DNA sequence: GCGACAG
DNA sequence: ATCTTGTCGC
């Protein structure tokens, strides 16, 4: 099926796919390859709509970059809170199809089931690729949580409509927590575990940091 | 009804 | 997301 053209169609699609998501699956062993995905946008008058997506695959043990790819294109869908996937997926999927390696888990910049309709970008990406996915957000989108301890590793469940949809997780002592939620084929514990293994010196996972840098570089190059 | 609202 | 300098602190 093709991508929805309107927010109404997009919402309908999310509600149709949401029940296929599996977030009760423990990750089978420690992942060997972890991927990060991100998209950068141009905001000027004449570059309006220009986007650059990037996917970076790291060796989970050493955090060395095993493979990376980027692609510049046009955003076909407007940014609407709750519908981020429809803006970023086309570019990310194109990149995904050209990858030589198959990561064991993908870290998305955004949310999984911690979403108004329980179907964030990470769920959608996981469903379409069949690979375990989860999301790490920098700010809260839905839900609320108790205060998080000050030490790295401390966390508090993110509650939404009576359910635990994610976790506010402190990845660095004394630094604002990030918001982790399962996307597909992984559970919350696994997602938090992987997140901690990817955050040694920074608040955000090394995967998203690398993908963020690559997407920005690709966008810069495309505009110059 | 009003505000808030991943990136 | 993006526009942006210096500055406080480990």
């Amino acid at each position: 099926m093709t991508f929805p053209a309107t927010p109404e169609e997009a919402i309908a699609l999310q509600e149709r796919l949401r029940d296929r998501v599996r977030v009760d699956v423990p990750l089978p062993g420690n992942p060997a390859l972890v991927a990060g995905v991100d998209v950068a946008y141009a905001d000027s008058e004449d570059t309006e709509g220009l986007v650059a997506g990037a996917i970076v695959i790291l060796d989970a043990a050493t955090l060395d970059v095993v493979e990376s790819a980027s692609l510049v294109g046009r955003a076909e869908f407007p940014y609407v809170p709750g519908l981020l996937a429809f803006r970023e997926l086309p570019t990310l999927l194109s990149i995904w199809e050209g990858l030589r390696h198959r990561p064991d888990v993908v870290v998305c910049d955004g949310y999984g089931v911690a979403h108004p309709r329980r179907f964030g970008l990470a769920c959608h990406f996981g469903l379409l690729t069949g690979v375990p996915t989860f999301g790490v957000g920098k700010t809260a989108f839905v839900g609320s949580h108790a205060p998080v301890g000050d030490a790295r590793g401390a966390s508090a469940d993110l509650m939404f409509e009576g359910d635990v949809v994610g976790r506010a997780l402190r990845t660095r002592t004394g630094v604002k927590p990030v918001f982790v939620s399962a996307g597909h084929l992984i559970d919350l514990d696994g997602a938090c575990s992987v997140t901690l293994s990817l955050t040694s010196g920074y608040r955000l996972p090394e995967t998203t940091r690398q993908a963020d840098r690559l997407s920005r570089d690709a966008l810069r190059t495309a505009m110059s």
Side-chain angles (χ1 to χ4, degrees), chain A residues 74-127:
Chain A
R74 291 278 166 188
E76 305 294 338
F77 204 90
Y79 170 65
V80 178
L83 302 180
L84 177 66
F86 301 97
R87 186 168 170 75
E88 307 204 333
L89 277 180
T91 306
L92 295 178
L93 289 175
S94 294
I95 300 172
W96 177 263
E97 290 163 7
L99 255 31
R100 300 176 60 257
H101 297 266
R102 205 94 305 195
D104 299 298
V105 58
V106 177
V107 185
C108 296
D109 198 3
Y111 286 97
V113 296
H115 176 277
R117 287 171 294 281
R118 316 294 177 99
F119 195 72
L121 169 64
C123 300
H124 210 148
F125 192 81
L127 213 51

Side-chain angles (χ1 to χ4, degrees), chain A residues 116-165:
Chain A
R117 287 171 294 281
R118 316 294 177 99
F119 195 72
L121 169 64
C123 300
H124 210 148
F125 192 81
L127 213 51
L128 265 38
T129 61
V131 170
T133 56
F134 67 90
V136 176
K138 294 176 282 295
T139 61
F141 186 28
V142 297
S144 59
H145 63 83
V148 181
D150 195 60
R152 163 178 160 83
S155 69
D157 286 340
L158 184 62
M159 304 301 295
F160 179 59
E161 297 177 337
D163 296 315
V164 176
V165 295

Side-chain angles (χ1 to χ4, degrees), chain A residues 11-23:
Chain A
I11 289 173
L13 180 59
Q14 289 181 326
E15 291 175 336
R16 189 156 60 77
L17 297 178
R18 54 189 286 179
D19 291 334
R20 302 190 195 180
V21 163
R22 309 301 313 178
V23 294

Side-chain angles (χ1 to χ4, degrees), chain A residues 188-208:
Chain A
L188 187 53
D189 283 335
C192 288
S193 170
V194 174
T195 298
L196 284 176
S197 74
L198 293 171
T199 50
S200 51
Y202 298 88
R203 178 166 90 116
L204 297 178
E206 201 55 35
T207 39
T208 55

